[in-house]
Amino acid sequence: MNAITIVIASMCILMIAYRLYGTFMAVKVLKLDDSKPTPAHELNDGKDYVPTNKWVSFGHHFAAIAAAGPLVGPILAAQFGYLPSLLWLLIGAVIGGAVHDAVVLFASMRQKGKSLSEVAKEELGPVAGFCTGLAMLFIITITMAGLSMVVLHALEKNPWGTFAVGITIPIAMGVGIFYKKTGNLKLASTVGFILLMIGVFAGPSIQETALGDWLTFDTKTLALILPIYAFFAAALPVWLLLAPRDYLSSFMKIGVFIALIIGVFIINPSIEMPAFTEFIHGGGPILAGPVWPFISITIACGAISGFHAFVGSGTTPKMLNKWSDIKVVGFGAMLVECLVGIMALIAATALHPADYFAINSAPEVFRTLGMDVINLPALSQEIGLNLEGRTGGAVTLAVGMTYIFTAIPWFENLASYFFQFVIMFEAVFILTAIDAGTRVARYLIQDFFGEVYKPLKKVDSVPASVFASALACFMWGYLLYSGDIGSVWALFGVSNQLMASIGLIVGATVILKIADKRRYMLTCLIPLAYLFATVNYAGYWMTVNVYLNPEAAGYNVLNGILSIIMLVLGIVILATALKKWIEIWNDPGFQMEAKSA
């Protein structure tokens, strides 16, 4: 199997799905009607609710949903072989992810751009709304830990990478200040990107200096630094750090993956990983569980992701200019993210399997596999870094992309620069997600606990903001400090896919209320049935075999308790929904409303 075959076939499938299934969802199921004003027009305040060009909305939405998930998930799941990952990415994105994102966006716009917990309260009742809000708080906390875990081994004892990533903070702040004072976005962007490149190319000169020694951290130190950084980042004004970094990283993401696609077409690397490995039945060095259900919780973003519901019921529904833009922004952006996941999978599976497992397994675990590395020693020498045992996915993506790029004669001597650039590229996205996610967690904490202590609910209160930010950082920071990539990423996967299940439950309810034909509800029920069974079995498996098993490497009682709580919340929400569906099904008034809608 070669990479070009996979890329061309995948792009054709995704384009056909968008043209046919996307149109069916927009016209027949959701009945998008541009004659009605969107919330952006109805509530236009020039601040949060602003009618926006669909391609600008697409760019914002894509940048928000396509963080580290579609890069890391496929790389970790490559343990099972390239075929399970490829099939789940394509089937999951078309049948599940694109539908989920479109219906959540539609459901939020139908309720004037409210959050998913508020939408659940309106559509399913107060019990479901409360459980959804609590689940969202758990899920955003676990998401921050899962994403942060990816950075740790990439920057571990890597002063060049730490410097390149760290320098992005003052650069982004400088861009934010310059743009706010001058309004010259083009100049700010150009200068910001040039400075980012200088940061990468200046890395070698600081490695053997006192600054390089000071920037050489182990994983435990990095696990303390990241939450402390996030506490301050969440408290800074959005325009000062979050917005300019998000803007600059969007250019990097688009540019890097266009370059990767071009590189694949020039080099056409062969896929070294077999279609299926011996670990499909479990016992793998990266993920302990079997291919099902773990393929579907390891690859979330890129196939279907509940984290998208935070965006689809957050900023995006307040921006769409027309109802029909849901097809491009909701359905279309998910399919593009699927392509990003496929490119990450190619970068990982183009490596020799022994090299892949040497990077993603602890050295003592890799020795038990009986494999001999092939290209890794030479790559380590060219990059100037020991690559073995750097789990988490980020290093594998950087090595895989470097392996492809340096096969082009012009770039054969730039391996170290390519590697550190990709590390910075990944880390900047993750830090952007950490900034935004911690801020969202702060709002959720203030909103949730503000019901008990009213002053905490004031978003503009400095003490309330400091307390909520500190609590958010402590919660995900503790999970980060005490976990490993196998256990934390699995916990993230379970929580994330539970959130997607909740999004599909809400979407199915809305479709049942408004669709002309009841069977259109199957567009949500089919992926929901698979995902809900997958999530509950995966949560049960991890709780019994890992989190509450003292003999397991990922033994962690807190993770087990969190898993149980989340699964119970999901069951309560589904039970509430089933009751609501029966009421709607038996009430002819709802069908009259659907036909007149």
Side-chain angles (χ1 to χ4, degrees):
M1 177 65 71
N2 57 62
I4 287 182
T5 303
I6 293 176
V7 173
I8 293 176
S10 298
M11 291 176 70
C12 289
I13 290 170
L14 295 175
M15 287 190 290
I16 292 170
Y18 176 78
R19 179 68 180 87
L20 299 180
Y21 198 38
T23 301
F24 170 74
M25 287 296 302
V27 176
K28 295 291 187 180
V29 179
L30 301 179
K31 299 188 298 183
L32 302 180
D33 184 0
D34 285 341
S35 67
K36 297 178 181 179
T38 63
H41 285 282
E42 282 189 293
L43 305 174
N44 188 351
D45 59 6
K47 181 182 177 184
D48 295 316
Y49 292 84
V50 181
T52 307
N53 176 277
K54 68 179 178 181
W55 296 114
V56 176
S57 298
F58 175 92
H60 159 79
H61 187 79
F62 176 73
I65 65 173
L71 307 179
V72 175
I75 289 171
L76 299 179
Q79 166 191 278
F80 301 118
Y82 75 83
L83 192 55
S85 299
L86 181 62
L87 290 175
W88 169 240
L89 280 164
L90 290 171
I91 296 171
V94 174
I95 305 298
V99 171
H100 168 273
D101 290 11
V103 297
V104 167
L105 184 54
F106 176 78
S108 178
M109 290 176 66
R110 192 168 177 264
Q111 298 294 341
K112 311 302 182 187
K114 291 181 180 178
S115 69
L116 190 63
S117 61
E118 292 297 316
V119 174
K121 186 186 297 183
E122 295 287 341
E123 302 291 354
L124 298 171
V127 173
F130 173 82
C131 290
T132 301
L134 188 58
M136 289 174 73
L137 181 57
F138 279 120
I139 289 163
I140 194 67
T141 300
I142 295 166
T143 298
M144 293 302 97
L147 295 178
S148 300
M149 182 67 70
V150 177
V151 180
L152 296 188
H153 290 295
L155 300 183
E156 177 191 8
K157 298 177 181 178
N158 180 9
W160 183 354
T162 303
F163 174 78
V165 171
I167 202 70
T168 65
I169 298 172
I171 290 173
M173 294 175 71
V175 168
I177 294 170
F178 182 81
Y179 175 62
K180 188 174 180 64
K181 289 187 174 296
T182 66
N184 192 331
L185 182 60
K186 184 180 293 186
L187 180 59
S189 304
T190 303
V191 172
F193 183 76
I194 291 172
L195 290 175
L196 289 177
M197 293 303 97
I198 292 173
V200 173
F201 281 91
S205 63
I206 64 100
Q207 286 197 104
E208 304 300 328
T209 65
L211 178 60
D213 294 337
W214 186 71
L215 292 175
T216 303
F217 301 118
D218 59 19
T219 54
K220 290 299 183 183
T221 304
L222 288 167
L224 293 173
I225 291 173
L226 283 175
I228 293 172
Y229 155 77
F231 171 76
F232 290 101
L236 290 172
V238 172
W239 63 265
L240 183 57
L241 178 59
L242 180 61
R245 172 182 275 161
D246 193 19
Y247 181 75
L248 289 172
S249 62
S250 295
F251 279 110
M252 290 173 61
K253 172 169 281 189
I254 294 169
V256 166
F257 276 96
I258 289 175
L260 181 56
I261 291 172
I262 293 171
V264 165
F265 275 87
I266 293 174
I267 302 303
N268 190 18
S270 60
I271 302 300
E272 299 290 341
M273 188 73 71
F276 299 96
T277 69
E278 61 186 288
F279 304 117
I280 59 172
H281 303 296
I286 302 168
L287 302 164
V291 66
W292 187 84
F294 282 86
I295 192 73
S296 298
I297 66 165
T298 303
I299 300 178
C301 298
I304 178 171
S305 170
F307 186 68
H308 296 186
F310 288 95
V311 182
S313 64
T315 53
T316 305
K318 301 175 180 66
M319 297 170 61
L320 295 198
N321 185 45
K322 298 178 181 179
W323 285 92
S324 60
D325 292 349
I326 289 175
K327 179 185 173 184
V328 175
V329 176
F331 202 93
M334 180 65 239
L335 299 185
V336 176
E337 186 183 14
C338 174
L339 184 60
V340 172
I342 290 170
M343 297 310 298
L345 178 66
I346 288 172
T349 54
L351 296 173
H352 190 278
D355 295 342
Y356 165 84
F357 284 110
I359 297 172
N360 284 284
S361 309
E364 60 274 14
V365 175
F366 178 71
R367 283 193 289 270
T368 66
L369 301 180
M371 297 180 177
D372 296 320
V373 294
I374 305 299
N375 301 312
L376 198 61
L379 285 169
S380 295
Q381 186 174 4
E382 290 174 16
I383 291 170
L385 200 66
N386 181 14
L387 300 174
E388 293 186 17
R390 290 182 178 267
T391 60
V395 170
T396 305
L397 178 63
V399 172
M401 292 179 69
T402 300
Y403 182 70
I404 291 172
F405 286 140
T406 53
I408 301 172
W410 291 349
F411 303 141
E412 59 186 358
N413 297 318
L414 297 176
S416 58
Y417 293 97
F418 274 118
F419 176 84
Q420 296 295 357
F421 175 78
V422 177
I423 290 294
M424 182 188 72
F425 154 75
E426 294 176 280
V428 165
F429 268 96
I430 294 169
L431 290 177
T432 299
I434 290 171
D435 295 348
T438 304
R439 194 179 293 269
V440 170
R442 187 190 98 194
Y443 293 151
L444 287 171
I445 289 171
Q446 288 186 251
D447 189 52
F448 198 80
F449 292 105
E451 297 294 334
V452 179
Y453 183 64
K454 296 298 182 184
L456 191 60
K457 213 173 181 70
K458 297 180 180 178
V459 179
D460 57 350
S461 168
V462 174
S465 298
V466 168
F467 170 78
S469 297
L471 181 59
C473 292
F474 173 79
M475 290 192 299
W476 69 257
Y478 177 79
L479 291 175
L480 176 67
Y481 190 82
S482 62
D484 62 77
I485 186 64
S487 61
V488 171
W489 194 264
L491 183 64
F492 163 64
V494 169
S495 65
N496 193 45
Q497 301 303 54
L498 176 63
M499 191 74 231
S501 298
I502 295 171
L504 289 170
I505 288 171
V506 172
T509 308
V510 172
I511 290 173
L512 183 58
K513 287 183 177 181
I514 63 103
D516 293 331
K517 297 178 181 178
R518 287 173 169 175
R519 67 172 179 266
Y520 289 164
M521 189 183 180
L522 290 173
T523 57
C524 286
L525 290 185
I526 291 173
L528 172 62
Y530 172 79
L531 203 60
F532 199 78
T534 299
V535 163
N536 279 273
Y537 181 66
Y540 166 79
W541 196 97
M542 286 297 296
T543 300
V544 172
N545 293 286
V546 180
Y547 298 142
L548 301 184
N549 179 9
E551 304 300 320
Y555 172 68
N556 190 310
V557 175
L558 176 61
N559 287 359
I561 294 172
L562 289 174
S563 296
I564 293 169
I565 291 173
M566 288 188 299
L567 295 179
V568 170
L569 288 172
I571 292 170
V572 171
I573 294 169
L574 181 60
T576 305
L578 287 170
K579 181 181 177 183
K580 187 69 174 179
W581 294 344
I582 293 172
E583 290 177 5
I584 297 172
W585 195 275
N586 294 327
D587 187 348
F590 276 110
Q591 293 306 306
M592 294 296 293
E593 177 188 344
K595 291 180 180 180
S596 62

